[in-house]
Amino acid sequence: MTSALPPGRGRWLSVATLVALGAGTVRARRRLHALPVLPVPPVPPVPPAAPASAGPNATQAALSAPAVGPYRLIAAEGVAVGEDVLRAARAHAEHEGLQVLELVPYDLDAERALGLLRLVDPAGYRRDRLAAGRGAGFALLATGDVLDRAAVDPGVPRGVPELLALGRRLKEYACDATDLAVAPGLSVTEPRPDRRVEELHAQGLPPGLLTAAQLAGLALLATGAVRHGRWGAAAAALYWAQPYLVLGTGGPLHPAGLARSTAARPVRSLRTGLRTAAGARIAAAVRAALGTDTERAARYAAELASGTDRFFEPRRPDCPWCGAADPSVRVRVPDLLQGKPGLFTLEQCGSCGHVFQNPRLTPEGLDFYYRDFYDGRGGEGAGVVFGRLGEAYRARARMLAPFASPASWLDVGTGHGHFCAVARDIWPATRFDGLDMGDGVQEAERRGWVAAGYQGQFPELAAKLAGQYEAVSMYHYLEHTRDPFVEIDAAATVLVPGGHLLIELPDPQSRMARLLGAHWLPWFQPQHQHLMPVANLRRALAERGFTVVAEEHGRAHQHNDFVGALALTVNRIAPDPDTPWAAAVAGGPEPGRLRRTGRRAVRAAAVPG
């Protein structure tokens, strides 16, 4: 007699799946009951003449974006918002001090509702300044001020994907004054499956990767139910019943046809996954046919036609920190961040231990290698990474608490101002300004993440800002600069007497640097120009009149060494085949379909589960 539960990993995988589904179900129930609800009777308005996102058959409410006191209503095409809902929404927004209020239909379909509850924790959503803007994509209220700063025309017709994207954008302009609420009087029709790819893109989610995960999960559940006995069957049954367990036992959302959609969930999920996968492939083919990156590719091809030698200065024979003439190669790596052509050498001084790029990039070279990393093609990805560092930003801000309560703070190398936005949680009365070379600092000012945004080189702006700040921060900035001494001098210039300078940077003496070699992420070539031992930095600060009052090593460590090494290794083995410089790097035509598919498979396999 054989056991119904074969030994080995399969059973434990089913157990783990069951536990994960159970935890997700409990979490979704908790979040469901944390959703605010407008005081509107659950009586739906007259059904709209066309389904949501149907095109030109928009209601007057959607087209005219009527004023609701200081707010404007923006609704998806085909969505009718009744007067009772508008009055309740305005009263709720004003009472809570909101600038943006996402309205969630009370009969939102089950899978959309579960997706929203996976992405949003209502209890902390408003307080999380860096949380991505989320909603159902059917209607929202926003103040005229937010719409003006975000350069949004409220009268432009929009479908559900466009409303989802708009919600993300407006959250950035009202990062601590955005919330969502269930509108009992707001009813919508079934979603359009043909726009699911667009909706996922609008939410900043990768359709291909999510669809692959969805189909793999369905296969895992089916295999477990057939081969792994009661544990596999229990996991499959919990997945099957999850919509009803979350939404059918009380709460503010009442999806139409919940019992029917729950019963059909496996089939519907499989069909949705296959449609989305096909849609993602079609969308990729359309982008390729339209030549979305054609202009970028042509520009890169022209720049790289004459090679990369002009991007480098002559190699220097001595250390830029202490002048000793004994540097030796520490590491030599290609561009593992973006896969652009070039080979970069970091040398280490035998006398003081300073590590520096040698030969150094010219300003033209820096412009070439930075392009499409923090902005342009890579801007959204960089924003996602920075948006997940909220607790690290708060820890940085807290470090100053034992020593000062600054009234003014300049964040140098601020990017889009993520640190400044979050640091207000710790220092609500402090004025935060930002400085950076990129356009992002101006966007940070428009969002209100910084009070003033200065664009340009810090040493060149220092005289203008002399003696204005009680705190200056340089978080992972100094290692990017061409001359760290000049940057520290600039900080001394803009600080008031007794002001504080906060610096965070990689430690080239780290054990991880020795262990991981060329794949230690903080080498960050070709962007990092200097990596200085802490003793060198202490001496440089003392020579400029600073006194070190606190120093952190272990507590400041960001625990991403092995994940970073994996990412760089994957980039080395399978460079992104879709970059506009891929053909120029290969020295010929773009990678063929088989090669591109192989690279994508390697990159997808490396994504943590």
Side-chain angles (χ1 to χ4, degrees):
M1 182 176 178
T2 59
S3 170
L5 286 176
R9 292 170 295 180
R11 180 177 62 183
W12 292 111
L13 187 59
S14 289
V15 171
T17 302
L18 179 63
V19 170
L21 283 168
T25 302
V26 172
R27 181 185 65 182
R29 286 283 301 165
R30 175 180 59 79
R31 291 182 173 183
L32 174 69
H33 287 279
L35 282 170
V37 183
L38 300 182
V40 182
V43 179
V46 177
S53 305
N57 297 317
T59 66
Q60 186 65 25
L63 284 175
S64 61
V68 189
Y71 301 93
R72 301 294 295 273
L73 169 70
I74 304 178
E77 296 176 320
V79 174
V81 181
E83 289 296 329
D84 52 350
V85 173
L86 288 179
R87 286 193 297 269
R90 173 187 173 179
H92 178 80
E94 290 181 336
H95 181 267
E96 296 296 323
L98 300 176
Q99 295 178 306
V100 178
L101 176 61
E102 289 265 5
L103 302 180
V104 180
Y106 81 101
D107 61 350
L108 188 68
D109 74 275
E111 290 301 333
R112 279 186 187 274
L114 291 176
L116 182 64
L117 295 172
R118 277 193 294 269
L119 293 172
V120 178
D121 182 358
Y125 174 68
R126 178 180 174 180
R127 295 193 305 273
D128 187 350
R129 296 173 185 268
L130 299 186
R134 302 297 185 194
F138 291 98
L140 60 82
L141 290 185
T143 63
D145 171 67
V146 168
L147 295 173
D148 288 344
R149 287 190 287 113
V152 172
D153 181 353
V156 173
R158 294 175 173 88
V160 171
E162 292 77 22
L163 255 292
L164 290 169
L166 180 61
R168 288 183 69 207
R169 179 166 175 78
L170 294 182
K171 176 70 162 69
E172 296 174 339
Y173 287 82
C175 62
D176 61 348
T178 296
D179 210 344
L180 65 173
V182 177
L186 179 61
S187 178
V188 296
T189 57
E190 286 284 320
R192 287 180 53 180
D194 60 314
R195 301 208 71 182
R196 186 164 187 264
V197 172
E198 295 176 68
E199 291 177 8
L200 291 173
H201 275 304
Q203 296 177 86
L205 303 173
L209 186 60
L210 286 181
T211 302
Q214 180 183 7
L215 295 175
L218 289 171
L220 176 65
L221 289 167
T223 301
V226 172
R227 299 185 56 188
H228 303 150
R230 62 178 180 272
W231 293 108
L238 179 54
Y239 171 80
W240 201 324
Q242 191 180 50
Y244 190 83
L245 293 175
V246 173
L247 302 164
T249 55
L253 295 179
H254 303 278
L258 177 60
R260 183 176 65 255
S261 60
T262 299
R265 191 185 194 200
V267 174
R268 288 166 62 103
S269 294
L270 178 61
R271 186 172 62 214
T272 299
L274 293 174
R275 282 179 175 173
T276 305
R281 287 195 297 270
I282 292 171
V286 169
R287 287 196 301 272
L290 294 176
T292 304
D293 271 343
T294 298
E295 290 186 12
R296 280 198 182 102
R299 181 179 178 185
Y300 277 109
E303 286 184 293
L304 292 170
S306 55
T308 60
D309 290 347
R310 71 186 188 285
F311 292 148
F312 295 89
E313 297 177 348
R315 179 187 175 276
R316 62 180 299 160
D318 59 346
C319 171
W321 196 271
C322 72
D326 58 353
S328 59
V329 174
R330 174 75 184 264
V331 66
R332 185 175 282 121
V333 293
D335 178 2
L336 300 180
L337 302 174
Q338 292 181 288
K340 291 180 178 178
L343 189 65
F344 310 94
T345 301
L346 288 171
E347 297 193 0
Q348 182 167 357
C349 176
S351 298
C352 72
H354 183 69
V355 177
F356 59 103
Q357 191 182 75
N358 198 21
R360 184 175 66 168
L361 285 171
T362 64
E364 182 188 8
L366 288 169
D367 175 73
F368 175 82
Y369 287 105
Y370 270 82
R371 193 187 311 144
D372 287 316
F373 190 86
Y374 298 104
D375 53 14
R377 190 178 187 274
E380 183 165 341
V384 169
V385 172
F386 295 140
R388 292 175 178 170
L389 298 178
E391 191 49 48
Y393 296 145
R394 280 184 280 272
R396 291 171 181 173
R398 289 190 195 101
M399 192 175 178
L400 188 56
F403 310 103
S405 297
S408 54
W409 188 314
L410 178 66
D411 186 42
V412 182
T414 197
H416 284 77
H418 290 78
F419 165 76
C420 297
V422 172
R424 286 190 175 85
D425 290 340
I426 312 301
W427 303 103
T430 300
R431 174 190 170 97
F432 284 92
D433 295 340
L435 186 150
D436 204 282
M437 286 192 61
D439 295 338
V441 70
Q442 301 300 328
E443 175 72 2
E445 183 176 331
R446 288 190 291 271
R447 292 177 183 175
W449 291 12
V450 299
Y454 301 103
Q455 185 173 2
Q457 296 278 3
F458 186 31
E460 296 173 3
L461 294 171
K464 172 185 175 181
L465 304 175
Q468 294 187 23
Y469 292 96
E470 296 179 14
V472 170
S473 53
M474 295 176 168
Y475 297 122
H476 289 276
Y477 166 78
L478 210 54
E479 63 268 31
H480 289 262
T481 63
R482 289 171 62 79
D483 189 339
F485 292 139
V486 173
E487 303 289 339
I488 298 173
D489 290 337
T493 298
V494 305
L495 281 167
V496 301
H500 289 77
L501 174 62
L502 298 94
I503 298 174
E504 183 174 296
L505 70 173
D507 182 2
Q509 297 177 318
S510 161
R511 289 192 297 270
M512 284 296 177
R514 295 192 294 272
L515 176 65
L516 298 175
H519 293 89
W520 186 52
L521 181 61
W523 294 134
F524 220 68
Q525 289 303 289
Q527 295 187 21
H528 285 179
Q529 308 286 289
H530 298 274
L531 293 97
M532 57 228 59
V534 69
N536 288 6
L537 183 59
R538 279 196 224 104
R539 284 194 295 272
L541 290 169
E543 290 168 0
R544 287 156 178 80
F546 288 98
T547 299
V548 176
V549 296
E551 187 177 309
E552 289 185 1
H553 290 269
R555 287 178 61 191
H557 180 61
Q558 298 176 9
H559 301 279
N560 58 10
D561 299 281
F562 292 107
V563 172
L566 173 63
L568 294 183
T569 301
V570 169
N571 282 351
R572 192 169 204 163
I573 296 172
D576 184 351
D578 299 319
T579 61
W581 51 85
V585 173
E590 293 188 9
R593 177 179 296 180
L594 183 61
R595 194 173 171 189
R596 293 164 69 93
T597 301
R599 288 185 181 181
R600 290 196 187 101
V602 171
R603 297 172 71 86
V607 175

